[in-house]
């Protein structure tokens, strides 16, 4: 009976695996260990500018938002299919901040809720001012590098994922005989 159950599960697993199509992206270009960073922004800080500065200061070549909670008094977003920014003033809860972050360019979306629970969202732009706090956890992918390159489909700068360049090794000193 145990053997029959094992064979059934083995056949089922083989059938499911056969249905998965191979990825056109090589494994080395899409996997990495995860290193986390935790930070807190203070009242008046600009959310996007602070994230960009943190990425530069910590040389984050490939990172993703794990979580962000907090509040804003000004939210500056580029809404879907709009050219320019839309600015909202008031008191807002950050209900979600998602996206990719890199020294080579970032793509972040913010969702906020007002005092009635109405939720708005769009591309995070400079000008989002922290009200009380922004508690942020970032996930760094040290074995990858994110780049933004023009995609001719629509002309936007889109994500390109590459293996991180190998770190430069320190020069070795020659020993005297």
């Amino acid at each position: 009976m145990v053997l029959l159950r094992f064979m059934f599960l083995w056949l089922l697993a083989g059938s499911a695996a056969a249905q998965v199509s191979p990825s056109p992206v090589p494994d080395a270009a899409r996997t990495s260990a995860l290193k986390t960073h935790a930070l807190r922004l203070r009242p008046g800080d600009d959310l996007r500018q602070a994230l960009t500065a943190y990425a530069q200061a910590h040389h984050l070549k490939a990172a993703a938002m794990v979580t962000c909670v907090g509040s804003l008094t000004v939210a500056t977003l580029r809404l879907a299919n709009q050219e320019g920014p839309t600015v909202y003033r008031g008191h807002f809860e950050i209900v979600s901040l998602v996206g990719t972050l890199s020294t080579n360019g970032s793509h972040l979306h913010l969702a906020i809720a007002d005092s009635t629970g109405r939720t708005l969202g769009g591309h995070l732009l400079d000008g989002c001012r922290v009200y009380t706090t922004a508690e942020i956890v970032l996930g760094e992918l040290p074995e990858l590098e994110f780049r933004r390159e023009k995609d001719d489909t629509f002309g936007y700068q889109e994500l390109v994922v590459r293996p991180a360049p190998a770190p430069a090794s320190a020069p070795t000193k020659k020993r005297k005989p």
Side-chain angles (χ1 to χ4, degrees):
M1 183 67 160
V2 172
L3 182 59
L4 234 111
R5 197 178 272 164
F6 171 78
M7 288 180 65
F8 174 75
L9 291 174
W10 182 72
L11 286 171
L12 187 62
S15 171
Q19 294 175 12
V20 176
S21 61
S23 172
V25 179
D27 286 345
R30 60 186 176 135
T31 62
S32 176
L34 183 67
K35 177 182 174 183
T36 55
H37 298 252
L39 60 145
R40 176 184 173 226
L41 303 184
R42 305 221 177 253
D45 287 346
D46 183 294
L47 183 57
R48 186 171 186 281
Q49 288 178 8
L51 287 168
T52 300
Y54 189 90
Q56 294 295 329
H58 294 274
H59 311 287
L60 301 181
K61 298 291 186 191
M65 292 300 305
V66 174
T67 191
C68 175
V69 295
S71 58
L72 301 173
T73 55
V74 179
T76 307
L77 304 172
R78 185 177 61 76
L79 304 177
N81 208 32
Q82 300 298 310
E83 290 296 320
T86 301
V87 179
Y88 301 93
R89 297 181 190 283
H91 291 107
F92 305 99
E93 291 291 328
I94 298 170
V95 295
S96 179
L97 178 58
V98 298
T100 56
L101 185 67
S102 169
T103 56
N104 301 312
S106 300
H107 187 181
L108 298 164
H109 287 194
L110 175 69
I112 56 170
D114 66 14
S115 62
T116 67
R118 183 177 71 135
T119 304
L120 304 164
H123 288 271
L124 175 69
L125 299 178
D126 288 354
C128 292
R129 295 288 172 190
V130 173
Y131 177 42
T132 59
T133 190
E135 301 165 6
I136 300 166
V137 178
L138 299 171
E140 179 184 4
L141 304 159
E143 295 153 26
L144 300 178
E145 181 177 32
F146 292 167
R147 294 217 164 257
R148 310 296 309 172
E149 296 179 6
K150 183 179 178 186
D151 183 321
D152 290 331
T153 306
F154 291 102
Y156 296 116
Q157 298 289 318
E158 300 292 358
L159 179 67
V160 175
V161 180
R162 295 194 175 123
S169 58
T172 57
K173 294 183 179 179
K174 292 184 180 179
R175 293 183 182 183
K176 293 182 182 179

